[in-house]
Structures are given as structure tokens and as C-alpha cells.
Amino acid sequence: MTDSVTLEVIRNACIAVCEEMNANLIRTGYSPNIKERRDCSCALFDAEGEMISQAENMPVHLGAMPFSVEAAIDRFPPETLEPGDAILLNDPFYGGAHLPDLTLVTPVFHEADDGSTELVAFAANRAHHADVGGARAGSVAADSTEIYQEGLRIPPVKLFEGGEPNDSVFDMVLSNVRTPDERRGDLRAQEAANQTGRRRFLELVEKYGRETLTEALGEIQDYSEARMRAEIEALPDGTYRFHDVLDDDGLGNEDLPIQATVTVDGDGVTVDFDGTADQTEGPVNAVLAVTASATYYSVRCVTDPDIPPNHGCYRPIDVQAPEGSIVNPEPPAAVVGGNLETSQRVTDVVLGAFAEQAPERVTAAGQGTMNNITFGGTDPRTDTPYAFYETQGGGFGGRAGKDGMDGVHVHMSNTMNTPVEVLETAYPLRVRRYELRQDSGGPGEYRGGLGIRRDIQVRDHEAHFSLLADRHQHQPYGLAGGEPGECGAAELETADGETGRLPQKSTRELPPGSTVSIRTPGAGGYGDPDDRDPDAVRRDVRHGKVSPEAARDAYGVDVAAAEPAAETSTDAEGDDD
């Protein structure tokens, strides 16, 4: 048995390797989606494909990435691999999540002094590519009805063989996307990140030896499992249920139920999604890897988020999802929004079920959507195709003792925004307005976080636009007497000033000068609004987060309307020159 000090040193060293991998991926990536938004994740796996450690990146990536590594090993058993290989995949029905997320898995081999070579680990990362082909620019189409429309579907294939790029695979991928130079650069960045992981892990092998390191990694996983089981055992045994809905699938099917039944039994927990809607025609079906990822995340939130996230901490969690449902669809279902939207609702219902018996451990509902937007067309500055993809922040739920956060990416999304300066430099688009949405956070003793408003204008060209969002009809729930957050909304303003509502799941062509206004949902409040500190209400009014009218109506606090409010918006209404 390895001593506890050595175990902790090795555990933190593996985390540091993953963090360095991620820093390298961000630094060398080509697209703003990776360099600025950081829509990517990195992890290490042992020789059996069980996760050792991860960087603190995207929850929806990290819980699902083990499925990708398993698929890679299933297609390429260890005896078929050699140093310098790297396996690429994105097939949601074969270890992936949705097509824009490309996963690269690199085996790590160690050569001993006697010349023997042994597979000791896998370095893996997942990055969201701004375009992987398909019917719509950006490959996040709200109107897809089968996966074939959503982009290039890649089963596990060797992108690198013996350290050399597989030109046939590169050519196949790059011939099917709208922005091949950017895709090539991002794929190269993914390989560079895995090479960083390979080098750093081999340094650990050299320092501690194969046997000692392998034994230590197994003990670290067992330690995570023991801590998770202890946390679950501390929860009251019982069965708890929660129900919520997706607004629609974009094709006329509305109020799609997602039902979670959480059973705590001793030191294990079962999450059963029986009662959830059947898979649907629209692109909101979430493959099992995504559903499991959201469930793992939710259980970690209500137990102890400091438990080292590896294969061990997931062992006590049993996920049961009916085949043919929107949380475990069968091919050729359209799935691009399952990773983005349904994952958020799975999180909402699992946390809602836990709130039935441990409300102090759970936040009120966050915005419950990633507010996905894509713009695509021909950039008039360069006469080349472009594809811009971005998710939008919103409200984070109030929780016991603390207000929710404003304008952040919530739960399964952990990205940043695209800075205005970068967006306007990289794409023929202009940000006309960017601000927090006053009064959008649900009232409570602890207020829900605010949504945002972001207006983006198409300049000097016609563009294709797609919106894939939710929570425009059903508000994010409050907890413990807190009130729900405001719904989201979207509007289109033409160059001549005409305005109209945009459906939350829609695609359309935009003429030059059009402006799309995205208003993201606020979050639910926590606790009775009557118990909120009046000074906190006055502070919110001063900061422009709550209007004087809402302060009076929701909290019973009379605040003079003339009291100065802080500026919360970025006014981009300037001269186009």
C-alpha cells in the first residue's frame, strides 16, 4: 500500500498534468471557441480506460469522456496500438456526445530499461469545433430531424499513426467542413495537448516506477469511491422524485417531460429516468453518455464537490435511462441539442429530486439552457466562409446563504463568453448591446441570478442564423419559498427597424443589417422573499439589478426611484466607421 503523502502528491500531480494539457490546448487553438470561450476539456485515464484525473473544465464533457475512451479502446484494443497513435471520434452513438465535440484519445507507452514497451495510460481531450459540416453553418441546427443532417459522423479512427498524421482521415474531415484551416489548427492543438499529457505522465512513471504508480492510481480511485459512498450514506435513505419539462423540440412537440426518481439506499444511489418522454423528432435527444454526465455532476454537487473526480467516485451511482427516450435515444435520432439543452434539464430534475430531502445542499434552478447561437455565411472582408458559434450566460440559482450569480454559464456549461473585441475582429458581426436583464432573477431571501441581453448585428452580408434555446415558456424554479426566474426571449430587428419574436428553436436567413437580440433566463430565488434583508434589496436597486417597482412589489421595500443606479450595460451604439 502506498503511503498517504505519496498518494496525495501523485493525485495532485495528475491534476496538474490535466491543467497543463488544457492550458496548452487553449494557447495553441485556432478558433475563438477554444481560445476565448474555452469550450474544451482534458483528462487522464489509466491503461484500462478508467479516469484518473481531469482539469476543472466542462461538466458535460468530463462525465461523458469516459464513454469516448471506452469506445476508442473497443475499436482499437491495446495490442493494435503503438506509440504515436491518436484516435479521433465524435459519433454520439459510439462514445460521443454530439457531433461538434471532437474527442482525441492518445495512448501513452512507457519504454523500460530492458527495452520492453507497455501501455500505461491514455491522454484525452474534447473540444467543441465551430463547424463539422451538416446542413447548417455551425453544425448546431434547431431544425434537424436525424443525425445525418447535423454534420460529419466520425467513428473511432486513427488521426495519427506512429506519430505521423493520417492524411486520409485529415482530408476526409477537412473536406466536409466550412472552415478547414480553423479545423486543422484546432485538431493540431488537441494533439499537442495530448502530447503534453503524455510527456508529463511519463515523467511520473520515471519518478515512481510503473508498479508503484499503477498501484497508487488504483488506490486514489478507491479513495474517491470510499468518500463518495460515505457522503451518500450520510443522506437519508428514501426515494425522491422531481419532474420538469423542455419547452419544445422546435418541431411542434411541446412540454416534453423529464422525470427523475432518485433512490438513496445505504452507500449507493440510483437515478431512474422512467417516465421521461420518448425520443422526439427534433434535435433535443441526449445520448446516454450525456445523461450520465449530467447525473454524475448533480450527485457530486449535493455530496462533496471536493471528492477527487475520477472513475472511483462514479462507481456508487447507477443511471437507468429507458431506451428510446430523449435521455437515451436510438439512432438515427437528432442529438445536437441533447448535449446542450436536455443535459441542463436533466441536471434540474436530479437536483430538484435531491432538494426534496436536502434543500440546503441544492441551488434553485439556474437558467436551464445554453442559449446556443450560430451565424454563418461568407465574410465580405475575405470572401471566405465563416461559422460563429457561442453559448450565452444567464442566471445561476439562489442557494442557502447566498444570492445566485449574474450572467454566467450554468451547470453543464462552464465556458466563458466571446469578448466583444474578439467577436467583431474575427467575424463580420457587431455587438450592439450587452447588459444584465433587470428584474430577471427570481425573488427570494437569496435572489436568483440575472440573465443577460446580447444584441448581435449582421454587417454587410447575408447570414444564416440558428437559435437553439429553452426556458422561453417554463420558468426556472425557485426553492424553499423562492420565486421562479424570468423566462428567456429572442427578437429579430431588421435594418428598417421592424421587430418580431424569434422562436427559441429556429433557423433563418438574415439580410444585411439585421440584429438578433438574445435575452437569457434569470434563475430561481431561494427562501421566502419576505425574509430578504432590506439593505440587500436597496443595494440591488442601486446596482440596477432590481427596479424600484420590483423592490416594492416582491420584497415590500420602498426605494426612491430617483436613487442612482449603476450602469449595467455595454452600449455599442456607435459609428460603424
Side-chain angles (χ1 to χ4, degrees):
M1 178 176 290
T2 312
D3 67 89
S4 58
V5 173
T6 301
L7 283 178
E8 190 67 3
V9 171
I10 290 174
R11 183 179 74 82
N12 282 280
C14 289
I15 294 172
V17 171
C18 295
E19 295 288 356
E20 186 176 353
M21 289 171 62
N22 198 62
N24 194 357
L25 177 52
I26 292 168
R27 185 171 59 249
T28 59
Y30 270 43
S31 67
N33 203 49
I34 293 175
K35 295 183 71 69
E36 301 294 342
R37 293 187 60 249
R38 306 187 178 189
D39 196 344
C40 53
S41 301
C42 297
L44 285 174
F45 296 79
D46 64 20
E48 283 70 47
E50 296 186 346
M51 189 164 68
I52 298 168
S53 60
Q54 64 184 47
E56 292 296 332
N57 302 133
M58 296 276 291
V60 75
H61 289 173
L62 293 166
M65 208 184 299
F67 292 81
S68 295
V69 175
E70 180 182 1
I73 296 173
D74 180 63
R75 175 63 181 83
F76 296 100
E79 61 270 18
T80 69
L81 297 172
E82 61 182 39
D85 287 351
I87 303 164
L88 178 72
L89 70 151
N90 75 344
D91 188 344
F93 297 104
Y94 199 169
H98 68 170
L99 297 182
D101 282 343
L102 300 189
T103 302
L104 194 67
V105 182
T106 300
V108 178
F109 289 89
H110 177 255
E111 184 175 350
D113 292 338
D114 61 3
S116 63
T117 300
E118 182 180 351
L119 177 68
V120 292
F122 292 90
N125 67 68
R126 175 172 289 179
H128 185 117
H129 286 246
D131 186 85
V132 291
R136 306 294 185 186
S139 311
V140 180
D143 59 351
S144 58
T145 59
E146 54 183 5
I147 194 169
Y148 309 116
Q149 300 167 328
E150 296 183 332
L152 183 63
R153 186 176 172 189
I154 307 170
V157 294
K158 287 187 180 181
L159 186 66
F160 289 84
E161 291 187 275
E164 297 298 322
N166 185 337
D167 290 334
S168 296
V169 174
F170 265 101
D171 290 345
M172 182 268 295
V173 173
L174 300 178
S175 296
N176 283 279
V177 300
R178 295 170 176 84
T179 50
D181 290 342
E182 191 175 85
R183 302 287 67 74
R184 181 187 293 107
D186 284 346
L187 285 170
R188 286 287 194 173
Q190 288 185 258
E191 170 63 4
N194 280 359
Q195 288 303 318
T196 297
R198 182 190 66 82
R199 290 194 302 272
R200 293 292 186 246
F201 190 83
L202 289 178
E203 290 174 4
L204 295 178
V205 177
E206 290 294 329
K207 182 174 183 179
Y208 294 100
R210 286 182 191 172
E211 292 186 7
T212 298
L213 186 60
T214 299
E215 180 180 349
L217 295 177
E219 291 179 26
I220 291 169
Q221 291 174 332
D222 292 343
Y223 168 72
S224 290
E225 179 182 1
R227 283 188 59 181
M228 177 60 79
R229 291 193 181 279
E231 288 288 331
I232 294 172
E233 196 165 25
L235 296 170
D237 282 359
T239 298
Y240 311 96
R241 295 177 175 84
F242 197 84
H243 167 275
D244 206 336
V245 298
L246 288 169
D247 289 347
D248 65 359
D249 69 344
L251 295 173
N253 302 299
E254 299 182 344
D255 294 351
L256 302 169
I258 298 181
Q259 169 82 40
T261 300
V262 175
T263 301
V264 178
D265 184 8
D267 62 358
V269 60
T270 299
V271 181
D272 190 345
F273 291 95
D274 187 42
T276 294
D278 291 340
Q279 68 185 72
T280 188
E281 184 181 10
V284 295
N285 303 289
V287 295
L288 182 59
V290 170
T291 299
S293 183
T295 303
Y296 295 155
Y297 164 83
S298 302
V299 175
R300 288 193 65 212
C301 286
V302 299
T303 50
D304 183 355
D306 289 333
I307 295 173
N310 56 44
H311 182 78
C313 75
Y314 299 150
R315 290 173 186 158
I317 307 169
D318 180 24
V319 180
Q320 299 180 2
E323 293 184 4
S325 69
I326 60 172
V327 293
N328 187 12
E330 297 176 347
V335 300
V336 66
N339 186 70
L340 304 165
E341 299 302 302
T342 308
S343 67
Q344 297 282 48
R345 197 65 69 255
V346 169
T347 303
D348 287 342
V349 298
V350 176
L351 290 177
F354 275 110
E356 296 295 309
Q357 56 93 21
E360 73 284 352
R361 294 173 176 254
V362 180
T363 68
Q367 65 163 334
T369 174
M370 296 191 196
N371 304 292
N372 307 270
I373 62 170
T374 56
F375 290 85
T378 300
D379 190 334
R381 301 170 300 179
T382 60
D383 200 31
T384 58
Y386 78 93
F388 168 63
Y389 167 76
E390 183 179 47
T391 57
Q392 308 291 322
F396 188 91
R399 63 270 206 205
K402 201 164 188 180
D403 289 347
M405 293 178 284
D406 306 317
V408 295
H409 290 77
V410 173
H411 291 318
M412 301 310 290
S413 173
N414 190 34
T415 64
M416 303 175 73
N417 70 351
T418 306
V420 172
E421 298 84 355
V422 172
L423 190 158
E424 294 185 343
T425 300
Y427 306 102
L429 305 170
R430 184 176 181 84
V431 178
R432 307 297 300 187
R433 187 169 178 172
Y434 195 16
E435 65 185 12
L436 296 175
R437 291 181 64 205
Q438 188 179 67
D439 294 334
S440 58
E445 181 180 3
Y446 301 101
R447 174 182 52 77
L450 303 183
I452 65 169
R453 174 175 175 174
R454 188 159 163 104
D455 294 4
I456 301 177
Q457 184 182 43
V458 175
R459 303 182 65 188
D460 307 327
H461 70 295
E462 292 185 355
H464 178 79
F465 172 74
S466 180
L467 171 64
L468 183 56
D470 208 76
R471 290 290 196 200
H472 283 204
Q473 273 79 49
H474 296 278
Q475 296 171 270
Y477 61 78
L479 278 185
E483 297 184 13
E486 287 294 316
C487 285
E491 288 187 358
L492 173 64
E493 181 179 352
T494 62
D496 58 10
E498 293 185 8
T499 61
R501 177 183 172 274
L502 279 174
Q504 62 188 331
K505 297 178 180 70
S506 58
T507 61
R508 65 182 58 225
E509 301 300 322
L510 302 178
S514 301
T515 298
V516 173
S517 177
I518 305 298
R519 293 92 183 274
T520 69
Y526 188 100
D528 191 334
D530 290 342
D531 295 332
R532 185 165 178 77
D533 184 349
D535 286 342
V537 177
R538 297 186 184 97
R539 180 192 64 224
D540 283 343
V541 173
R542 287 196 306 273
H543 292 171
K545 297 181 179 183
V546 173
S547 67
E549 295 77 17
R552 180 179 61 252
D553 296 342
Y555 298 105
V557 177
D558 209 356
V559 181
E563 194 167 333
E567 182 64 52
T568 61
S569 67
T570 299
D571 185 358
E573 297 285 350
D575 186 353
D576 284 352
D577 296 327

